[in-house]
Amino acid sequence: MAQLEHVRTSVLDIAYEQAGPLHAYPVALLHGFPYDPRAFDDVAYILNAAGFRTIVPYLRGYGATRFLALNTMRSASRLP
């Protein structure tokens, strides 16, 4: 079962799911528009079963990821 974690940068509070052994070799799975981390459920399960740690962030405002400033560039958009 994936755990929801957060990492804070200067412009984003990024939510990500991690699963698998904590000290195992990490594999980052990055989704693109219009997908979210659910697109990787099947492959994350396979990688975790093989002994890898998976890290799947909610990119650019998806899920629990939040922009920290109004003037932060959004994906494929201009500044507000």
Side-chain angles (χ1 to χ4, degrees):
M1 185 86 182
Q3 291 181 284
L4 186 64
E5 305 284 344
H6 288 262
V7 63
R8 191 176 181 99
T9 70
S10 61
V11 295
L12 290 169
D13 178 20
I14 304 167
Y16 64 95
E17 296 178 3
Q18 71 173 0
L22 185 58
H23 299 292
Y25 191 83
V27 177
L29 302 171
L30 307 176
H31 66 84
F33 180 81
Y35 302 103
D36 69 6
R38 298 290 62 80
F40 291 111
D41 285 349
D42 293 338
V43 73
Y45 175 81
I46 292 168
L47 289 167
N48 297 151
F52 293 94
R53 175 178 166 218
T54 54
I55 301 166
V56 190
Y58 286 87
L59 297 177
R60 304 296 293 177
Y62 277 79
T65 292
R66 296 291 175 251
F67 293 95
L68 299 178
L70 289 176
N71 65 346
T72 300
M73 181 79 72
R74 273 42 174 185
S75 294
S77 69
R78 296 176 180 234
L79 293 176

